[in-house]
Amino acid sequence: MENVNGEIQLYKLTELQNLSKIILMIKSFKFFLLLLLFFLTFVSCESSKNFIDTLLSDYFPLETGIKWTYVDSSENEVAREVVRDTIIGNESAYVVEMGGEIELWGKNSDELSFYVKKILHRGDYTYTAEESFVPVLYLPPLDGYSSEDSTFKICLLLGDTAFYYRKLETGIKKIEGKRYRFHMSLYYENIGFEDSTTEFIERTYILAPDTGPVYIKVRRVVNQDTTVEEFNLLKFER
């Protein structure tokens, strides 16, 4: 009889131990679920915050009077400035001057566009092969977005024929922090008339929120001649 009671006591003790283990496992699982919920909430909040920050930030400011001062590869200071806004056709545009060169950009709440104009010459006569705004970037920036736009045209002037081809490619990728690397390459080829050329212009920008280009690299290839210029931001003024 004592042996039976001892077995019952041992059985009850074993059951209590098993029950304690089950309760401990449940508590551990609940703790794990709480940790997982906290982590997912944190990640969701951070993702939402980053998305909202990107949505509210201006990665390519274009307002008259904005000025960037860069240091080039030779340690010279070079200014880039939005000198004025204008209207071309029915499009609003911003005139940006840098190092004596002029660029025109179009911008609305949804996209950024680049103004392309190419004039061919034959003696004292000219022929406008292209004049258009080409979309290059959605706003706010979309990580991994890329685009390609091209055009081909047969140009007739004074009985002479020329062929014009242009291709513009862009791509944007998020890098460290909240910055983006924006790449834009523009290729021209003119065959005919008296100014037959091939020209390739590759621009790389590092864009920072509410500042725009903090770094610019420009590589030009005209026929067989290549030049490369790099610019690092020194000062930004609104």
Side-chain angles (χ1 to χ4, degrees):
M1 188 68 178
E2 290 182 1
N3 187 32
V4 172
N5 289 335
E7 289 181 357
I8 293 174
Q9 296 271 344
L10 181 61
Y11 174 77
K12 288 183 177 180
L13 180 61
T14 303
E15 286 298 307
L16 285 173
Q17 289 176 340
N18 290 336
L19 184 60
S20 298
K21 288 181 181 179
I22 292 172
I23 293 173
L24 184 61
M25 288 175 63
I26 292 173
K27 288 183 177 179
S28 298
F29 184 66
K30 285 184 176 179
F31 180 69
F32 170 75
L33 286 179
L34 286 173
L35 280 178
L36 181 61
L37 181 61
F38 174 78
F39 174 74
L40 291 176
T41 303
F42 176 77
V43 170
S44 177
C45 290
E46 282 297 304
S47 299
S48 299
K49 182 179 182 300
N50 289 338
F51 175 76
I52 292 171
D53 287 345
T54 299
L55 194 65
L56 297 178
S57 298
D58 190 351
Y59 280 84
F60 212 97
L62 288 172
E63 299 169 15
T64 300
I66 288 180
K67 184 178 180 180
W68 300 260
T69 303
Y70 297 92
V71 177
D72 66 13
S73 304
S74 302
E75 300 298 324
N76 298 314
E77 292 189 11
V78 180
R80 181 176 187 265
E81 184 175 4
V82 183
V83 293
R84 67 180 186 277
D85 59 277
T86 186
I87 301 291
I88 300 178
N90 296 320
E91 300 279 348
S92 298
Y94 295 91
V95 182
V96 179
E97 183 177 356
M98 181 174 181
E101 294 189 5
I102 297 293
E103 294 177 353
L104 284 92
W105 297 84
K107 183 182 178 185
N108 56 40
S109 59
D110 298 320
E111 68 181 18
L112 180 73
S113 57
F114 184 74
Y115 178 69
V116 176
K117 183 174 183 178
K118 200 67 174 177
I119 298 176
L120 308 183
H121 300 271
R122 186 180 187 278
D124 295 331
Y125 297 89
T126 60
Y127 184 96
T128 302
E130 182 180 14
E131 185 175 10
S132 61
F133 283 91
V134 182
V136 295
L137 184 64
Y138 281 125
L139 299 174
L142 296 176
D143 185 23
Y145 172 78
S146 63
S147 69
E148 179 179 324
D149 182 89
S150 62
T151 186
F152 173 77
K153 200 169 188 179
I154 298 175
C155 312
L156 299 175
L157 181 62
L158 300 176
D160 200 357
T161 304
F163 301 93
Y164 170 78
Y165 174 75
R166 186 267 303 155
K167 181 168 73 171
L168 191 153
E169 296 179 306
T170 69
I172 189 164
K173 184 71 176 174
K174 193 169 187 179
I175 53 176
E176 72 279 352
K178 298 177 181 179
R179 296 184 174 190
Y180 286 85
R181 178 182 286 106
F182 174 49
H183 173 84
M184 184 173 76
S185 63
L186 191 58
Y187 174 79
Y188 298 103
E189 186 171 2
N190 313 318
I191 302 173
F193 295 164
E194 59 189 43
D195 58 345
S196 298
T197 59
T198 58
E199 183 178 4
F200 177 76
I201 306 171
E202 183 180 49
R203 296 178 175 89
T204 301
Y205 303 88
I206 301 297
L207 305 179
D210 300 318
T211 302
V214 296
Y215 168 84
I216 302 174
K217 180 180 179 180
V218 182
R219 185 169 75 94
R220 300 175 186 270
V221 182
V222 180
N223 296 329
Q224 302 297 321
D225 298 325
T226 301
T227 60
V228 178
E229 298 175 288
E230 293 184 79
F231 307 90
N232 288 281
L233 184 65
L234 179 64
K235 183 169 57 174
F236 173 65
E237 302 168 273
R238 278 187 178 275

